[in-house]
Amino acid sequence: MALIVGAKTFDRLFAGIHFDELDGDILFVYAKDEETAAQVEDNFSLHIQIIAANILKREVNIVMVLPKQFVH
């Protein structure tokens, strides 16, 4: 992701991000706060989806980026 978004954006948005679980075809990702979660989901969920599918060798159709307070 750092190569795609650049160092400054990566440090701002992806510091502390947690890729939690794949439930069916939904990847749950947790960001540090609600604003960061919204920015990551709006701007980079497609990139995350493609990269995760390649790494996991599974279909990822939805990337849900939530603030860490929603971690189960």
Side-chain angles (χ1 to χ4, degrees):
M1 284 304 301
L3 294 174
I4 295 169
V5 304
K8 279 186 171 182
T9 301
F10 183 84
D11 288 346
R12 182 173 55 84
L13 295 178
F14 289 89
I17 205 159
H18 178 73
F19 297 90
D20 190 52
E21 68 176 306
L22 185 64
D23 185 4
D25 65 347
I26 303 171
L27 177 64
F28 289 90
V29 178
Y30 295 95
K32 64 182 174 184
D33 57 37
E34 194 170 325
E35 181 181 333
T36 303
Q39 288 181 30
V40 170
E41 186 166 343
D42 291 346
N43 298 311
F44 303 109
S45 61
L46 179 60
H47 295 90
I48 294 169
Q49 177 185 352
I50 293 166
I51 292 168
N54 284 325
I55 291 170
L56 298 170
K57 305 290 188 234
R58 289 185 54 189
E59 192 171 321
V60 177
N61 288 319
I62 299 169
V63 176
M64 296 285 300
V65 186
L66 303 167
K68 283 193 177 175
Q69 71 246 30
F70 293 126
V71 173
H72 47 92

Coordinates of all heavy atoms in Angstrom, one line a residue:
M1 N 0.8 -1.2 0.0 CA 0.0 0.0 0.0 C 0.9 1.3 0.0 O 0.5 2.2 -0.6 CB -0.9 0.0 1.2 CG -2.1 -0.9 1.1 SD -3.2 -0.7 -0.3 CE -3.7 1.0 -0.2
A2 N 2.0 1.2 0.7 CA 2.9 2.4 0.7 C 3.3 2.8 -0.7 O 3.4 4.0 -0.9 CB 4.1 2.1 1.6
L3 N 3.6 1.9 -1.5 CA 4.0 2.2 -2.9 C 2.8 2.8 -3.7 O 3.1 3.7 -4.5 CB 4.4 0.9 -3.6 CG 5.7 0.3 -3.1 CD1 6.0 -1.0 -3.8 CD2 6.9 1.3 -3.2
I4 N 1.6 2.5 -3.4 CA 0.4 3.0 -4.1 C 0.1 4.4 -3.6 O -0.2 5.3 -4.3 CB -0.8 2.1 -3.9 CG1 -0.5 0.7 -4.6 CG2 -2.0 2.7 -4.5 CD1 -1.5 -0.3 -4.3
V5 N 0.0 4.6 -2.2 CA -0.5 5.8 -1.7 C 0.6 6.9 -1.4 O 0.3 8.0 -1.2 CB -1.3 5.6 -0.4 CG1 -2.4 4.6 -0.7 CG2 -0.5 5.1 0.7
G6 N 1.9 6.4 -1.3 CA 2.9 7.4 -1.0 C 3.2 7.4 0.5 O 2.3 7.0 1.3
A7 N 4.4 7.7 0.9 CA 4.8 7.6 2.3 C 4.0 8.5 3.3 O 3.6 8.0 4.3 CB 6.3 8.0 2.4
K8 N 3.8 9.8 2.9 CA 3.0 10.7 3.8 C 1.6 10.2 4.1 O 1.2 10.1 5.2 CB 3.0 12.1 3.2 CG 4.2 12.9 3.5 CD 4.0 14.3 3.0 CE 5.1 15.2 3.4 NZ 4.9 16.6 3.0
T9 N 0.9 9.8 3.0 CA -0.5 9.3 3.1 C -0.5 8.0 3.9 O -1.3 7.8 4.7 CB -1.1 9.2 1.7 OG1 -1.1 10.4 1.1 CG2 -2.5 8.6 1.8
F10 N 0.5 7.1 3.6 CA 0.5 5.8 4.3 C 0.7 6.1 5.8 O 0.0 5.5 6.6 CB 1.7 5.0 3.7 CG 1.8 3.6 4.3 CD1 1.0 2.6 3.8 CD2 2.6 3.4 5.4 CE1 1.0 1.3 4.4 CE2 2.7 2.1 6.0 CZ 1.9 1.1 5.5
D11 N 1.7 6.9 6.1 CA 1.9 7.2 7.6 C 0.7 7.8 8.2 O 0.4 7.4 9.4 CB 3.1 8.1 7.8 CG 4.4 7.4 7.5 OD1 4.4 6.1 7.4 OD2 5.4 8.1 7.3
R12 N 0.0 8.6 7.5 CA -1.2 9.3 8.1 C -2.4 8.4 8.3 O -3.1 8.3 9.3 CB -1.6 10.5 7.3 CG -2.7 11.3 7.8 CD -2.9 12.6 7.0 NE -3.1 12.4 5.6 CZ -4.2 12.0 5.0 NH1 -5.3 11.9 5.7 NH2 -4.3 11.9 3.6
L13 N -2.7 7.6 7.2 CA -3.9 6.7 7.2 C -3.7 5.3 7.7 O -4.6 4.7 8.2 CB -4.5 6.7 5.8 CG -5.0 8.1 5.3 CD1 -5.6 7.9 3.9 CD2 -6.1 8.6 6.2
F14 N -2.5 4.7 7.4 CA -2.4 3.3 7.6 C -1.6 3.0 8.9 O -1.4 1.8 9.2 CB -1.7 2.6 6.4 CG -2.7 2.6 5.2 CD1 -2.8 3.6 4.3 CD2 -3.5 1.5 5.1 CE1 -3.7 3.5 3.3 CE2 -4.4 1.4 4.0 CZ -4.5 2.4 3.1
A15 N -1.1 4.0 9.6 CA -0.4 3.7 10.9 C -1.4 3.1 11.8 O -2.4 3.7 12.1 CB 0.2 5.0 11.4
G16 N -1.1 1.9 12.3 CA -1.9 1.3 13.3 C -3.1 0.6 12.7 O -4.0 0.1 13.5
I17 N -3.2 0.5 11.4 CA -4.4 -0.2 10.8 C -4.2 -1.7 11.1 O -3.1 -2.2 11.2 CB -4.5 0.1 9.3 CG1 -5.9 -0.1 8.8 CG2 -3.5 -0.7 8.5 CD1 -6.2 0.6 7.6
H18 N -5.4 -2.3 11.3 CA -5.4 -3.8 11.6 C -6.3 -4.5 10.6 O -7.5 -4.2 10.6 CB -5.9 -3.9 13.1 CG -6.0 -5.3 13.5 ND1 -4.9 -6.1 13.8 CD2 -7.1 -6.1 13.7 CE1 -5.3 -7.3 14.2 NE2 -6.6 -7.3 14.1
F19 N -5.7 -5.4 9.9 CA -6.5 -6.3 9.0 C -6.9 -7.5 9.8 O -6.1 -8.4 10.1 CB -5.6 -6.6 7.8 CG -5.2 -5.4 7.0 CD1 -4.1 -4.8 7.2 CD2 -6.0 -5.0 5.9 CE1 -3.7 -3.6 6.5 CE2 -5.7 -3.8 5.2 CZ -4.5 -3.2 5.5
D20 N -8.2 -7.5 10.2 CA -8.6 -8.5 11.2 C -9.0 -9.8 10.7 O -8.4 -10.8 11.0 CB -9.8 -7.9 12.0 CG -10.1 -8.6 13.2 OD1 -9.2 -8.9 14.0 OD2 -11.3 -9.0 13.4
E21 N -10.0 -9.9 9.9 CA -10.5 -11.2 9.5 C -11.2 -11.2 8.1 O -11.7 -10.1 7.7 CB -11.5 -11.8 10.5 CG -12.8 -11.1 10.6 CD -13.7 -11.8 11.6 OE1 -14.0 -13.0 11.5 OE2 -14.2 -11.1 12.5
L22 N -11.3 -12.3 7.5 CA -12.1 -12.5 6.3 C -13.3 -13.4 6.6 O -13.1 -14.5 7.0 CB -11.2 -13.1 5.2 CG -11.8 -13.2 3.8 CD1 -12.1 -11.8 3.2 CD2 -10.9 -14.0 2.9
D23 N -14.5 -12.8 6.5 CA -15.7 -13.5 6.8 C -16.4 -13.7 5.5 O -17.0 -12.8 5.0 CB -16.5 -12.8 7.8 CG -17.8 -13.5 8.3 OD1 -17.9 -14.7 7.9 OD2 -18.6 -13.0 9.0
G24 N -16.4 -14.9 4.9 CA -16.9 -15.1 3.6 C -16.0 -14.3 2.6 O -14.9 -14.6 2.5
D25 N -16.6 -13.3 2.0 CA -15.9 -12.5 1.0 C -15.7 -11.1 1.5 O -15.4 -10.2 0.8 CB -16.5 -12.5 -0.4 CG -17.9 -11.9 -0.4 OD1 -18.5 -11.7 0.7 OD2 -18.4 -11.7 -1.5
I26 N -15.9 -10.9 2.9 CA -15.8 -9.6 3.5 C -14.6 -9.5 4.3 O -14.4 -10.3 5.3 CB -17.1 -9.2 4.3 CG1 -18.4 -9.3 3.5 CG2 -16.9 -7.8 5.0 CD1 -19.6 -9.3 4.3
L27 N -13.7 -8.5 4.0 CA -12.5 -8.3 4.8 C -12.8 -7.2 5.8 O -13.2 -6.1 5.4 CB -11.3 -7.9 3.9 CG -10.0 -7.6 4.6 CD1 -9.5 -8.8 5.3 CD2 -9.0 -7.1 3.6
F28 N -12.6 -7.5 7.1 CA -12.7 -6.4 8.1 C -11.4 -5.8 8.4 O -10.4 -6.5 8.8 CB -13.4 -7.1 9.4 CG -14.8 -7.4 9.1 CD1 -15.2 -8.7 8.7 CD2 -15.8 -6.5 9.4 CE1 -16.5 -9.0 8.5 CE2 -17.2 -6.8 9.2 CZ -17.5 -8.1 8.7
V29 N -11.4 -4.5 8.4 CA -10.2 -3.7 8.6 C -10.5 -2.7 9.7 O -11.6 -2.1 9.6 CB -9.7 -3.0 7.3 CG1 -8.5 -2.2 7.6 CG2 -9.5 -4.0 6.2
Y30 N -9.6 -2.5 10.6 CA -9.9 -1.5 11.7 C -8.8 -0.4 11.6 O -7.6 -0.7 11.7 CB -9.9 -2.2 13.0 CG -11.0 -3.1 13.1 CD1 -10.9 -4.5 12.8 CD2 -12.3 -2.7 13.5 CE1 -12.0 -5.3 12.9 CE2 -13.4 -3.5 13.5 CZ -13.2 -4.9 13.2 OH -14.3 -5.7 13.3
A31 N -9.3 0.8 11.6 CA -8.4 2.0 11.6 C -8.5 2.7 12.9 O -9.3 2.4 13.7 CB -8.8 3.0 10.5
K32 N -7.6 3.7 13.1 CA -7.4 4.3 14.5 C -8.7 5.1 14.9 O -8.9 5.2 16.1 CB -6.2 5.2 14.5 CG -6.2 6.4 13.6 CD -4.9 7.1 13.7 CE -4.8 8.2 12.7 NZ -3.5 8.9 12.7
D33 N -9.4 5.7 13.9 CA -10.6 6.5 14.3 C -11.6 6.5 13.2 O -11.3 6.0 12.1 CB -10.2 7.9 14.8 CG -9.4 8.7 13.7 OD1 -9.7 8.5 12.5 OD2 -8.5 9.4 14.1
E34 N -12.7 7.1 13.4 CA -13.8 7.1 12.4 C -13.4 7.9 11.1 O -13.7 7.4 10.0 CB -15.0 7.7 13.0 CG -16.3 7.5 12.2 CD -17.6 7.9 13.0 OE1 -17.6 7.7 14.2 OE2 -18.5 8.4 12.3
E35 N -12.8 9.0 11.3 CA -12.4 9.8 10.1 C -11.4 9.0 9.2 O -11.5 9.0 8.0 CB -11.8 11.1 10.6 CG -11.3 12.0 9.4 CD -10.7 13.3 9.9 OE1 -11.0 13.8 11.0 OE2 -9.9 13.8 9.1
T36 N -10.4 8.4 9.9 CA -9.4 7.6 9.1 C -10.1 6.4 8.4 O -9.8 6.2 7.3 CB -8.3 7.2 10.1 OG1 -7.7 8.3 10.7 CG2 -7.2 6.4 9.3
A37 N -11.0 5.8 9.1 CA -11.7 4.6 8.6 C -12.4 5.1 7.3 O -12.4 4.4 6.3 CB -12.6 4.0 9.6
A38 N -13.1 6.2 7.4 CA -13.9 6.7 6.2 C -13.0 7.0 5.1 O -13.3 6.7 3.9 CB -14.7 7.9 6.7
Q39 N -11.9 7.7 5.3 CA -10.9 8.0 4.3 C -10.3 6.8 3.6 O -10.2 6.7 2.4 CB -9.8 8.9 4.8 CG -10.3 10.3 5.1 CD -9.1 11.1 5.6 OE1 -8.0 10.9 5.2 NE2 -9.4 12.1 6.5
V40 N -9.9 5.8 4.4 CA -9.4 4.6 3.8 C -10.4 3.8 3.0 O -10.1 3.4 1.9 CB -8.8 3.7 5.0 CG1 -8.4 2.3 4.4 CG2 -7.6 4.3 5.6
E41 N -11.6 3.7 3.5 CA -12.7 3.0 2.8 C -13.0 3.7 1.5 O -13.2 3.1 0.5 CB -13.9 2.8 3.7 CG -14.9 1.9 3.0 CD -16.0 1.4 3.9 OE1 -15.8 1.5 5.2 OE2 -17.0 1.0 3.4
D42 N -13.2 5.0 1.6 CA -13.6 5.8 0.4 C -12.6 5.8 -0.7 O -12.9 5.7 -1.9 CB -13.9 7.2 0.8 CG -15.2 7.3 1.6 OD1 -16.0 6.4 1.7 OD2 -15.4 8.4 2.2
N43 N -11.3 5.9 -0.3 CA -10.2 6.1 -1.3 C -9.4 4.9 -1.6 O -8.8 4.9 -2.7 CB -9.3 7.2 -0.8 CG -10.0 8.5 -0.6 OD1 -10.8 9.0 -1.5 ND2 -9.9 9.2 0.6
F44 N -9.3 3.9 -0.7 CA -8.4 2.8 -0.9 C -8.9 1.4 -0.8 O -8.2 0.4 -0.9 CB -7.2 3.0 0.0 CG -6.5 4.3 -0.2 CD1 -6.6 5.3 0.8 CD2 -5.8 4.6 -1.3 CE1 -6.0 6.5 0.6 CE2 -5.2 5.8 -1.5 CZ -5.3 6.8 -0.5
S45 N -10.3 1.3 -0.6 CA -10.8 -0.1 -0.4 C -10.6 -1.0 -1.6 O -10.4 -2.2 -1.5 CB -12.3 0.0 0.1 OG -13.1 0.6 -0.9
L46 N -10.7 -0.4 -2.8 CA -10.5 -1.2 -4.0 C -9.1 -1.7 -4.0 O -8.8 -2.9 -4.3 CB -10.8 -0.4 -5.3 CG -10.6 -1.2 -6.6 CD1 -11.5 -2.4 -6.6 CD2 -10.9 -0.3 -7.8
H47 N -8.1 -0.9 -3.7 CA -6.7 -1.3 -3.7 C -6.5 -2.4 -2.6 O -5.8 -3.4 -2.9 CB -5.8 -0.1 -3.4 CG -5.8 0.9 -4.4 ND1 -6.7 2.0 -4.4 CD2 -5.0 1.1 -5.5 CE1 -6.4 2.8 -5.4 NE2 -5.4 2.2 -6.1
I48 N -7.1 -2.2 -1.5 CA -7.0 -3.2 -0.4 C -7.6 -4.5 -0.8 O -7.1 -5.6 -0.6 CB -7.6 -2.7 0.9 CG1 -6.8 -1.5 1.5 CG2 -7.7 -3.8 2.0 CD1 -7.5 -0.8 2.6
Q49 N -8.8 -4.4 -1.5 CA -9.5 -5.6 -2.0 C -8.6 -6.4 -2.9 O -8.5 -7.6 -2.8 CB -10.8 -5.1 -2.7 CG -11.6 -6.2 -3.3 CD -12.8 -5.7 -4.0 OE1 -13.1 -4.5 -4.0 NE2 -13.4 -6.5 -4.8
I50 N -8.0 -5.8 -3.9 CA -7.2 -6.4 -4.9 C -5.9 -7.1 -4.2 O -5.6 -8.2 -4.5 CB -6.8 -5.5 -6.0 CG1 -8.0 -5.1 -6.8 CG2 -5.7 -6.1 -6.9 CD1 -7.8 -3.9 -7.7
I51 N -5.3 -6.3 -3.4 CA -4.0 -6.8 -2.7 C -4.4 -8.0 -1.8 O -3.7 -9.0 -1.8 CB -3.3 -5.7 -2.0 CG1 -2.8 -4.7 -3.0 CG2 -2.2 -6.2 -1.1 CD1 -2.3 -3.4 -2.3
A52 N -5.4 -7.8 -1.0 CA -5.8 -8.9 -0.1 C -6.2 -10.2 -0.8 O -5.8 -11.3 -0.4 CB -7.0 -8.5 0.8
A53 N -6.9 -10.1 -1.9 CA -7.3 -11.2 -2.7 C -6.1 -12.0 -3.3 O -6.0 -13.2 -3.3 CB -8.3 -10.8 -3.8
N54 N -5.1 -11.2 -3.7 CA -3.9 -11.8 -4.2 C -3.1 -12.5 -3.1 O -2.5 -13.6 -3.3 CB -3.0 -10.8 -4.9 CG -3.5 -10.4 -6.3 OD1 -4.1 -11.2 -7.0 ND2 -3.4 -9.1 -6.6
I55 N -3.0 -11.9 -1.9 CA -2.2 -12.4 -0.8 C -3.0 -13.7 -0.3 O -2.3 -14.7 0.0 CB -2.0 -11.4 0.3 CG1 -1.1 -10.3 -0.2 CG2 -1.5 -12.1 1.6 CD1 -1.0 -9.1 0.8
L56 N -4.3 -13.6 -0.1 CA -5.0 -14.7 0.5 C -5.4 -15.8 -0.4 O -5.9 -16.8 0.0 CB -6.3 -14.1 1.2 CG -6.1 -13.1 2.3 CD1 -7.4 -12.4 2.7 CD2 -5.4 -13.8 3.5
K57 N -5.3 -15.5 -1.7 CA -5.7 -16.4 -2.8 C -7.2 -16.8 -2.6 O -7.6 -18.0 -2.8 CB -4.8 -17.7 -2.7 CG -3.3 -17.4 -2.8 CD -2.9 -17.0 -4.2 CE -1.4 -16.9 -4.3 NZ -0.9 -15.6 -4.7
R58 N -8.0 -15.8 -2.2 CA -9.4 -16.0 -2.1 C -10.1 -14.7 -2.6 O -9.5 -13.6 -2.7 CB -9.8 -16.1 -0.6 CG -9.3 -17.4 0.0 CD -9.8 -17.6 1.4 NE -11.2 -17.4 1.6 CZ -11.9 -17.4 2.7 NH1 -11.2 -17.5 3.9 NH2 -13.1 -17.2 2.8
E59 N -11.4 -14.9 -2.9 CA -12.1 -13.7 -3.4 C -12.5 -12.8 -2.2 O -12.9 -13.2 -1.1 CB -13.5 -14.3 -4.0 CG -14.2 -13.2 -4.7 CD -15.4 -13.8 -5.5 OE1 -15.2 -14.9 -6.0 OE2 -16.4 -13.2 -5.6
V60 N -12.2 -11.5 -2.4 CA -12.6 -10.5 -1.5 C -13.4 -9.5 -2.2 O -12.9 -8.8 -3.1 CB -11.3 -9.8 -0.9 CG1 -11.7 -8.6 0.0 CG2 -10.4 -10.7 -0.2
N61 N -14.7 -9.4 -1.9 CA -15.6 -8.6 -2.6 C -15.9 -7.3 -1.9 O -16.3 -6.3 -2.5 CB -16.9 -9.3 -2.9 CG -16.7 -10.3 -4.0 OD1 -16.1 -10.1 -5.0 ND2 -17.4 -11.5 -3.8
I62 N -15.8 -7.3 -0.6 CA -16.1 -6.1 0.2 C -15.0 -5.9 1.3 O -14.6 -6.8 1.9 CB -17.5 -6.3 1.0 CG1 -18.6 -6.5 0.0 CG2 -17.8 -5.1 1.9 CD1 -19.9 -7.0 0.6
V63 N -14.6 -4.6 1.4 CA -13.7 -4.2 2.4 C -14.4 -3.3 3.4 O -14.8 -2.2 3.0 CB -12.4 -3.6 1.8 CG1 -11.5 -3.1 3.0 CG2 -11.7 -4.5 0.9
M64 N -14.6 -3.7 4.6 CA -15.3 -2.9 5.6 C -14.2 -2.3 6.5 O -13.5 -3.0 7.2 CB -16.2 -3.8 6.5 CG -17.4 -4.4 5.7 SD -18.7 -3.2 5.4 CE -19.1 -2.7 7.0
V65 N -14.1 -1.0 6.4 CA -13.1 -0.3 7.3 C -13.8 0.4 8.4 O -14.7 1.3 8.1 CB -12.2 0.7 6.5 CG1 -11.1 1.3 7.3 CG2 -11.6 0.0 5.2
L66 N -13.5 0.0 9.6 CA -14.3 0.5 10.8 C -13.2 1.1 11.8 O -12.1 0.7 11.8 CB -15.0 -0.7 11.5 CG -16.0 -1.4 10.6 CD1 -16.4 -2.7 11.3 CD2 -17.2 -0.6 10.3
P67 N -13.7 2.0 12.6 CA -12.8 2.5 13.7 C -12.6 1.4 14.7 O -13.4 0.5 14.9 CB -13.6 3.7 14.3 CG -15.0 3.6 13.7 CD -15.0 2.7 12.6
K68 N -11.4 1.5 15.4 CA -11.0 0.4 16.3 C -12.0 0.2 17.5 O -12.0 -0.8 18.0 CB -9.6 0.7 16.9 CG -8.6 0.4 15.8 CD -7.2 0.4 16.5 CE -6.2 0.0 15.4 NZ -4.8 0.0 15.8
Q69 N -12.8 1.2 17.8 CA -13.8 1.0 18.9 C -14.8 -0.1 18.6 O -15.5 -0.5 19.4 CB -14.4 2.3 19.3 CG -15.4 2.9 18.3 CD -15.0 4.2 17.7 OE1 -13.8 4.4 17.6 NE2 -15.9 5.0 17.4
F70 N -14.9 -0.5 17.3 CA -15.8 -1.5 16.9 C -15.2 -2.9 16.8 O -15.8 -3.8 16.4 CB -16.5 -1.2 15.5 CG -17.4 0.0 15.6 CD1 -17.2 1.0 14.7 CD2 -18.4 0.1 16.5 CE1 -18.0 2.1 14.7 CE2 -19.3 1.2 16.5 CZ -19.1 2.2 15.6
V71 N -13.9 -3.0 17.3 CA -13.3 -4.3 17.3 C -14.1 -5.2 18.2 O -14.4 -4.8 19.3 CB -11.8 -4.2 17.7 CG1 -11.2 -5.6 17.9 CG2 -11.0 -3.4 16.8
H72 N -14.3 -6.4 17.7 CA -15.2 -7.4 18.6 C -14.4 -8.1 19.6 O -13.4 -8.3 19.8 CB -15.9 -8.3 17.7 CG -15.1 -9.0 16.6 ND1 -14.4 -10.2 16.8 CD2 -14.8 -8.6 15.4 CE1 -13.8 -10.5 15.7 NE2 -14.0 -9.5 14.8

